[in-house]
Amino acid sequence: MDPITLLGDEIAQRGLLAELRADDGIVVGVARMHATGTDVTVNVDPEFDDRSDMDTGVLLAAVERVLAITTVRWDQLVNEVAGEIEDAVGDQQVSETVDLRDDLTLESVVVFHDAILLSFGAPKQFPDSWIRIQLDEEFAVDDVVIDDKDDDDEVVEFESVDDLLDHLSSTGER
């Protein structure tokens, strides 16, 4: 049996994800994110392109940890991300004045061996973009990527939140 099927079987045995599919080198399913009160798509990616082995224990533990994140920690993450982006936007005009914390909607989670990627929609503040936040093993913000929903070929990556803020400040983007 191939490693992805084995990973999918282990995820199913633990009951971590529903609507489970294991193909194309990843396992995809849906899970309840208790901190947000919503169901989200979860991708478990062992990154075979970047590594030759798969530590199933690390991947399963990461899925369990992200799904069990507390409401308090989740609120801290959302506040940190929204605060940094709002500081960069400053006094620039926005189409709808709404607190970004209320606009951010978690759409999906990607679990890697050494990181978690959260994809947010923000339909009022950033209607044409995805906000992707990479968290390290301790759930600290490690990287921010904002990309255009309509142009999957053009991705803007930032080494740090500070780089994102500098970019937003210099280009007038929101």
Side-chain angles (χ1 to χ4, degrees):
M1 191 176 293
D2 74 283
I4 293 300
T5 302
L6 290 172
L7 177 61
D9 289 348
E10 288 190 48
I11 290 171
Q13 287 174 353
R14 291 194 187 191
L16 295 173
L17 304 177
E19 302 173 33
L20 200 64
R21 294 183 322 274
D23 56 14
D24 293 329
I26 62 172
V27 176
V28 179
V30 176
R32 186 70 161 173
M33 202 55 190
H34 295 289
T36 65
T38 60
D39 292 338
V40 296
T41 300
V42 178
N43 299 292
V44 184
D45 186 346
E47 301 176 288
F48 286 126
D49 293 343
D50 297 339
R51 58 189 318 122
S52 60
D53 64 333
M54 176 176 64
D55 190 335
T56 305
V58 168
L59 291 167
L60 294 172
V63 172
E64 289 172 341
R65 284 185 60 228
V66 74
L67 294 177
I69 194 168
T70 66
T71 303
V72 170
R73 181 61 186 126
W74 183 256
D75 290 344
Q76 290 170 341
L77 270 172
V78 169
N79 282 330
E80 179 182 350
V81 169
E84 296 288 339
I85 293 172
E86 287 170 345
D87 287 346
V89 171
D91 293 335
Q92 296 175 34
Q93 291 284 24
V94 294
S95 57
E96 282 192 52
T97 304
V98 63
D99 190 334
L100 185 56
R101 289 155 193 80
D102 296 330
D103 195 27
L104 286 172
T105 305
L106 182 65
E107 300 290 336
S108 68
V109 175
V110 180
V111 175
F112 300 105
H113 278 95
D114 58 356
I116 305 288
L117 181 66
L118 306 175
S119 293
F120 291 91
K124 294 180 181 161
Q125 295 283 331
F126 295 91
D128 300 323
S129 300
W130 291 113
I131 299 171
R132 301 191 199 279
I133 308 300
Q134 183 173 326
L135 304 176
D136 64 15
E137 296 93 349
E138 304 303 318
F139 294 142
V141 175
D142 190 39
D143 194 19
V144 177
V145 176
I146 297 178
D147 66 65
D148 189 335
K149 288 181 180 178
D150 295 330
D151 186 7
D152 290 334
D153 295 333
E154 183 178 336
V155 175
V156 180
E157 289 193 49
F158 303 95
E159 293 295 320
S160 68
V161 173
D162 289 336
D163 291 345
L164 164 67
L165 297 175
D166 291 343
H167 174 76
L168 290 174
S169 296
S170 68
T171 63
E173 291 183 25
R174 54 172 188 88

